[in-house]
Every structure is written in C-alpha cells, then in structure tokens.
Amino acid sequence: MDVIKNRKIFWFFSLAIIVAGLLMFFINGFNYGMDFVGGTLIQVNLEKFISVDEAKEIMDEYDKDASIVHVGSDKEEIIIKSSLDFSNDEVNSIMNKYMEKYDVGIDNFQSKIVGPSMGKEIKNKAIISIALAILGMLVYITFRFEFYFGVAAIVALLHDMLIMLAVYSIFRIPVNSSFIAAILTILGYSINDTIVIFDRIRENIKLYPKESIENIINNSLKQSMTRTIYTSLTTLIAVFVLYIIGVEDVKVLTLPLIIGMIAGVYSTLFIASPLWYKLRSRKIVTTD
C-alpha cells in the first residue's frame, strides 16, 4: 500500500468525520452526562434481579439516555441516573410503574436531585492535564527525534481526540467523567505505536541513504504494520469483551477506549508519517 501517494484520501476520510462531528456539535451540542450537568438519581430495591434492558423499558419513556447499574450482593437493586431534572410528578410516575410491574413498596425507593460532580475547576484541570501531557510529549519526541516528528505525533493525537469527540457528538453518546479518563488513556496509548514507526523510519534512513523518503516511509509502515495491528487488536479484543459483558459503569469507560484505540491505529498508520513527510518536504523546499 502506498500510504504517501494516497495520503490525501486518508486525510479526507478523517476530516469528513471531524467536520460532521463539528456540525452536529454546533447544531445540538454535546450530550453531557450527569457528571457534568447533574440530574436525578433513583435507587430501587426490586428484591430480585432484572436485566438492564428490562429496567430500561420503563425509563425509555422518560429518558432514553438514562444510565442503569446494579448494586447489592445479589444485584437486586438498581440505580437510575438521568441528566434530566425530573419533577416530583415524573419521579412518582416512574416509581408507580416499577411498583406495578415488580410488586414492590414505596419504601423500596430512594430518589434525589444531584448537582454536577464535574465542576468548572475539575474540567479546567482536565484540560490543563491534557495540554501538559501533549507539551511533554512534544519536548520528548523533539529531543529523541526532531521537531517535525514531534509535531506530526501531536497532530495525530489531536486527530484521535477529535475523532472521539466527533463520534460522541454525532451519535449523541453521553459525555461523562469516564470519557475524560479515556482521553487521557488514549493519549498515552496511541503515542507508543507512532514512536515505534518513527523509530523505524529514522533507522531505515540511516540504512538506506540513497532510497527515496517516500519508499522509506512506505517500507517502514509495512515493516511495522503487522506489529501495530496485532498489539492493538489484542488490546481491543480485551476491551471489547469488557464492553460486552461489563456492567453499565464499565461500558461507559470501555466505549470511548474502543473508539480511541481504533482512531489511534488509523492515525498511527495513515496520519502521522504522511504528515511528517509533508512537513519535511516543506522544510526542504524552504531551505532550497
């Protein structure tokens, strides 16, 4: 595969997703979860286990995005988290439907309105953490390789974050504190494979000084592609299994990880190295 020759196709594909995400963001905004906007929390002791899908049959009428998790030694209780501020009438209506369907008493319910746990200070600290992590990576890669390698790697990381934000915006997936944790995780995970490929490119430049830079990049990608796909695929399978069998709280963490890892593999193979090639070509033209 000639990645350098087809780089604009790969860039256009990513750009299309990001632009679609931006459009949806400006039209609808993000679907912020309870961690950001607060909402209503209802805990129900059903005295028996029911699946999340069964519990959602009632909640879908009030909030299709409500999160439902099990608690209790036998998972006989459920906690319903909604980012909507239900009125007393709506809460009573929900409770009545659970009482009618599962034959439980009013004493089995607890409900309260909660405020956002992710305040402005925490959001600002998360942004600062991401900015410091990116700056540290740029300094490290510039020291180990060169400045343009660092710029290409950072743009690839920003690509991964923008893809994650775009998918969440397009599909109206609730953004919560787990999403922030997943972004920080992907920042560290995705940079690893990118550095491996950059290292291979640098090594091949020394081994084959007469070879064109296009061939060196394509050959380096081919030599590293199997490793990148295998390592990412094994991790992805483990996370995907957790998403399938995990409880709701595990799903909200693993979903952004799955999206971020797929975006990370794509940017490692098709964004970072072609971008470095473009930056290097401009540098040579400017120098000449």
Side-chain angles (χ1 to χ4, degrees), residues 137-146 149-150 153 191 195 198:
M137 289 178 191
L138 178 62
V139 171
Y140 172 75
I141 297 171
T142 301
F143 176 73
R144 283 288 308 277
F145 295 87
E146 64 173 63
F149 272 124
I191 196 71
I195 287 180
F198 284 171

Side-chain angles (χ1 to χ4, degrees), residues 98-260:
Y98 277 103
M99 284 191 287
E100 290 172 7
K101 187 169 183 178
Y102 297 106
D103 193 25
V104 292
I106 190 70
D107 294 336
N108 292 44
F109 289 85
Q110 294 179 35
S111 68
K112 60 181 179 181
I113 303 297
V114 297
S117 59
M118 289 286 289
K120 186 177 180 181
E121 183 181 356
I122 296 178
K123 282 188 277 188
N124 290 339
K125 284 183 177 178
I127 293 171
I128 292 171
S129 299
I130 292 172
L132 289 176
I134 289 175
L135 180 63
M137 289 178 191
L138 178 62
V139 171
Y140 172 75
I141 297 171
T142 301
F143 176 73
R144 283 288 308 277
F145 295 87
E146 64 173 63
F147 179 67
Y148 286 133
F149 272 124
V151 172
I154 297 307
V155 171
L157 288 179
L158 293 174
H159 162 275
D160 300 344
M161 287 193 294
L162 288 173
I163 292 291
M164 292 171 71
L165 290 168
V167 172
Y168 267 64
S169 177
I170 293 170
F171 295 102
R172 303 285 297 156
I173 303 170
V175 176
N176 47 39
S177 55
S178 297
F179 180 76
I180 303 297
I183 283 185
L184 291 169
T185 304
I186 291 300
L187 279 180
Y189 181 83
S190 183
I191 196 71
N192 184 48
D193 283 336
T194 303
I195 287 180
V196 169
I197 290 179
F198 284 171
D199 192 48
R200 181 57 61 92
I201 292 173
R202 183 176 62 175
E203 188 178 305
N204 284 339
I205 288 175
K206 293 177 182 175
L207 290 174
Y208 310 103
K210 294 183 179 179
E211 190 70 71
S212 71
I213 194 65
E214 292 90 345
N215 286 339
I216 284 178
I217 293 174
N218 283 325
N219 291 334
S220 300
L221 287 170
K222 287 175 188 173
Q223 293 165 4
S224 307
M225 188 174 290
T226 303
R227 174 205 173 275
T228 299
I229 292 176
Y230 281 177
T231 54
S232 299
L233 194 60
T234 50
T235 309
L236 191 60
I237 289 173
V239 177
F240 190 71
V241 169
L242 279 175
Y243 178 78
I244 295 296
I245 66 174
V247 297
E248 192 69 17
D249 281 354
V250 174
K251 290 179 188 289
V252 297
L253 175 62
T254 51
L255 179 61
L257 287 177
I258 291 171
I259 298 169

